[in-house]
């Protein structure tokens, strides 16, 4: 595997379900990110991890819970989501958390029913 | 406040035409970085270029070129002799050296290249 991978690519879940999104980077980077991309809205940064430490939480509701066990893996745990949470969730990584270009995964298309 | 504006929501051209995508940014920092990303229909954002605020030289990479002008706070992107494979959404983004670990994206410009 190369670059940034995300699983699953598509996810449909009910509002009472609990699911997790997984991201893995094979680039030797130290920073990882979660973004949300909704229709007709700018890309929204959700969380930033730098050397496994969370350095940014962009006022994300607690129903989204990130986890970064090491610099190569990033999870987004989801529970009791709302229909408006349906979106494309993108993971990215960069050499460090400041100023470096970010490399993105293909995204997980999430639909909350 | 930091902000990136891409006023062109959608552009349609015919193959082989040149097209310029506009990007205007706002920042109070003197040190900052500008980026362009391409998002094809598959969804994955592809990094195209990173430029720091001290380097105003224009850059050319094949059919792609970028025009950075600090005087007008613009970082425009031109595709020469466009091709159908250039069809995608293009995002301009800004990060400030003194700021948080944030990359601020514009709303994107959807480019459609017709054969």
């Amino acid at each position: 595997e190369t670059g940034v991978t995300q699983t699953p690519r598509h996810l449909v879940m009910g509002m009472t379900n609990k699911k997790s999104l997984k991201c893995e980077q094979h680039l030797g980077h130290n920073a990882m990110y979660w973004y949300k991309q909704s229709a007709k809205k700018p890309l929204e940064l959700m969380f930033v991890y730098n050397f496994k430490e969370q350095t940014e939480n962009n006022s994300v509701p607690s129903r989204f819970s990130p986890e970064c066990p090491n610099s190569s893996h990033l999870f987004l745990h989801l529970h009791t989501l709302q229909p408006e949470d349906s979106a494309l969730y993108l993971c990215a990584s960069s050499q460090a958390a400041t100023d470096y270009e970010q490399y993105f995964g293909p995204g997980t298309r999430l639909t909350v029913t | 406040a930091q902000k990136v504006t891409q006023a062109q929501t959608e552009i349609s051209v015919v193959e082989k035409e040149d097209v310029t995508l506009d990007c205007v940014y706002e920042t109070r920092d003197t040190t900052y970085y500008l980026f362009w990303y391409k998002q094809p229909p598959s969804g994955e954002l592809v990094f195209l270029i990173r430029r720091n605020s001290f380097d105003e030289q224009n850059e050319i990479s094949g059919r792609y070129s970028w025009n950075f002008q600090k005087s007008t706070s613009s970082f425009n992107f031109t595709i020469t002799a466009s091709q159908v494979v250039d069809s995608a959404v293009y995002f301009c983004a800004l990060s400030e050296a003194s700021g948080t670990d944030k990359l601020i994206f514009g709303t994107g410009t959807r480019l459609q290249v017709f054969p």
Side-chain angles (χ1 to χ4, degrees):
Chain A
E1 293 273 22
T2 58
V4 181
T5 57
Q6 289 186 244
T7 53
R9 294 293 308 275
H10 300 272
L11 178 63
V12 179
M13 59 187 288
M15 290 191 284
T16 57
N17 290 160
K18 288 185 181 180
K19 295 285 183 184
S20 296
L21 309 185
K22 180 183 175 183
C23 175
E24 184 173 1
Q25 59 96 359
H26 309 267
L27 300 167
H29 289 165
N30 297 303
M32 296 188 77
Y33 312 77
W34 279 117
Y35 287 87
K36 176 183 178 183
Q37 187 176 31
S38 308
K40 299 181 181 178
K41 277 189 170 183
L43 271 158
E44 300 172 65
L45 178 68
M46 300 175 73
F47 302 103
V48 180
Y49 278 82
N50 195 26
F51 292 92
K52 300 190 298 177
E53 298 297 320
Q54 188 180 120
T55 58
E56 184 81 24
N57 177 337
N58 200 23
S59 303
V60 180
S62 59
R63 57 186 185 270
F64 294 91
S65 173
E67 178 190 0
C68 187
N70 54 62
S71 292
S72 299
H73 293 86
L74 184 65
F75 295 89
L76 188 63
H77 303 300
L78 316 171
H79 64 97
T80 57
L81 294 191
Q82 305 297 312
E84 60 265 28
D85 297 322
S86 298
L88 181 67
Y89 288 84
L90 291 160
C91 174
S93 71
S94 65
Q95 185 174 338
T98 306
D99 311 327
Y100 290 90
E101 58 269 24
Q102 296 175 20
Y103 293 87
F104 285 78
T108 295
R109 174 71 62 187
L110 173 68
T111 303
V112 181
T113 59
Chain B
Q2 47 182 210
K3 186 180 176 184
V4 175
T5 301
Q6 294 179 257
Q8 303 151 309
T9 306
E10 191 162 337
I11 301 175
S12 295
V13 299
V14 177
E15 232 179 353
K16 297 184 184 176
E17 283 186 30
D18 298 347
V19 58
T20 296
L21 309 181
D22 298 333
C23 173
V24 174
Y25 61 92
E26 293 176 31
T27 177
R28 291 179 184 163
D29 273 25
T30 55
T31 304
Y32 52 89
Y33 299 84
L34 296 163
F35 305 80
W36 275 96
Y37 285 85
K38 173 183 179 180
Q39 187 176 36
S42 59
E44 181 173 344
L45 272 85
V46 177
F47 166 74
L48 296 178
I49 189 171
R50 169 180 177 263
R51 176 53 55 89
N52 76 55
S53 52
F54 297 108
D55 182 3
E56 284 196 75
Q57 272 195 327
N58 291 332
E59 179 145 347
I60 298 174
S61 176
R63 295 184 297 106
Y64 294 171
S65 62
W66 291 269
N67 183 356
F68 177 29
Q69 293 200 343
K70 287 177 80 169
S71 59
T72 55
S73 296
S74 65
F75 187 42
N76 296 337
F77 172 31
T78 297
I79 302 174
T80 303
S82 60
Q83 299 176 1
V84 173
V85 294
D86 296 327
S87 298
V89 181
Y90 291 86
F91 292 93
C92 180
L94 162 75
S95 78
E96 296 173 333
S98 65
T100 59
D101 304 329
K102 278 188 177 183
L103 193 60
I104 304 300
F105 284 86
T107 50
T109 297
R110 180 177 299 280
L111 173 65
Q112 295 206 62
V113 182
F114 293 99

